[in-house]
């Protein structure tokens, strides 16, 4: 898993807890939580766009071809009514305010006033894990590149690439 080393995990934790009401307290609670989970607010330093599994993986593949360093990405491999999830939903961290204007079929947006459950960087909690850790500098996915990546991934899935 790319970007889950010790130093990167420390920078990721610092950046993530910076949105908490009391970052030091949240860090202690997160590090000691038996499942390594924290509930953190969105809308301050980032929003999260959640894409359905059918398009999420192909979108990430395209996005990685378009940019050297997309923003953080979470995946939820958790169970579905039909068993384990072979195509996980993915949460892409984008600039705050993106959720207010994002329109996408099947996507969910978490912005100001919402909270997301995050696994401690470098750990897996249930079926949720980081695919790309935050780099600690605030790098986020450009929403325009994410949208372009979604369109290209959908075109490939539909067999219409290049038409």
């Amino acid at each position: 898993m790319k970007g889950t080393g010790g130093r990167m995990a420390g920078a990721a934790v610092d950046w993530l807890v910076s949105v908490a009401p009391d970052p030091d307290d949240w860090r202690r609670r997160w590090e000691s939580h038996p499942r390594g989970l924290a509930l953190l607010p969105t809308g301050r330093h980032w929003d999260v766009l959640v894409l359905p599994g059918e398009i999420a993986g192909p979108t990430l593949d395209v996005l990685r071809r378009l940019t050297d360093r997309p923003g953080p990405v979470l995946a939820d491999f958790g169970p579905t009514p039909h068993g384990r999830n072979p195509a996980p939903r993915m949460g892409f961290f984008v600039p705050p305010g993106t959720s207010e204007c994002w329109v996408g079929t099947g996507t969910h947006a978490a912005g100001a006033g919402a909270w997301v459950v995050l696994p401690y960087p470098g750990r897996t909690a249930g079926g949720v894990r980081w695919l790309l850790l935050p780099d600690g500098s605030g790098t986020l996915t450009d929403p325009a590149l994410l949208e372009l990546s979604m369109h290209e991934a959908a075109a490939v899935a539909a067999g219409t690439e290049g038409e």
Side-chain angles (χ1 to χ4, degrees), residues 45-69:
H45 291 320
W46 65 78
D47 286 358
V48 178
L49 298 178
V50 181
L51 278 57
E54 307 79 45
I55 195 73
T59 296
L60 181 57
D61 292 342
V62 173
L63 188 61
R64 283 179 159 164
R65 289 194 310 263
L66 296 177
T67 182
D68 291 334
R69 178 65 174 124

Side-chain angles (χ1 to χ4, degrees), residues 117-157:
V117 176
L118 303 176
Y120 192 86
R123 295 185 198 170
T124 298
V128 181
R129 70 174 187 225
W130 291 100
L131 295 179
L132 293 173
L133 281 178
D135 63 9
S137 74
T139 299
L140 299 168
T141 295
D142 179 329
L145 278 180
L146 180 59
E147 184 177 15
L148 177 66
S149 299
M150 289 175 66
H151 286 284
E152 185 174 326
V156 168

Side-chain angles (χ1 to χ4, degrees), residues 9-133:
V13 171
D14 290 343
W15 184 72
L16 289 165
V17 299
S18 71
V19 301
D22 181 345
D24 292 333
D25 181 52
W26 282 69
R27 173 192 301 279
R28 281 189 298 279
R29 288 197 274 157
W30 199 6
E31 289 171 345
S32 65
H33 189 281
R35 295 191 64 204
L37 294 171
L39 185 63
L40 292 170
T42 56
R44 183 169 168 203
H45 291 320
W46 65 78
D47 286 358
V48 178
L49 298 178
V50 181
L51 278 57
E54 307 79 45
I55 195 73
T59 296
L60 181 57
D61 292 342
V62 173
L63 188 61
R64 283 179 159 164
R65 289 194 310 263
L66 296 177
T67 182
D68 291 334
R69 178 65 174 124
V73 179
L74 281 173
D76 181 0
F77 289 89
T80 68
H82 309 289
R84 293 301 282 174
N85 188 355
R89 294 178 301 169
M90 292 183 192
F92 293 79
F93 282 52
V94 294
T98 301
S99 66
E100 295 171 19
C101 58
W102 187 264
V103 177
T105 303
T107 62
H108 299 284
W115 294 70
V116 291
V117 176
L118 303 176
Y120 192 86
R123 295 185 198 170
T124 298
V128 181
R129 70 174 187 225
W130 291 100
L131 295 179
L132 293 173
L133 281 178

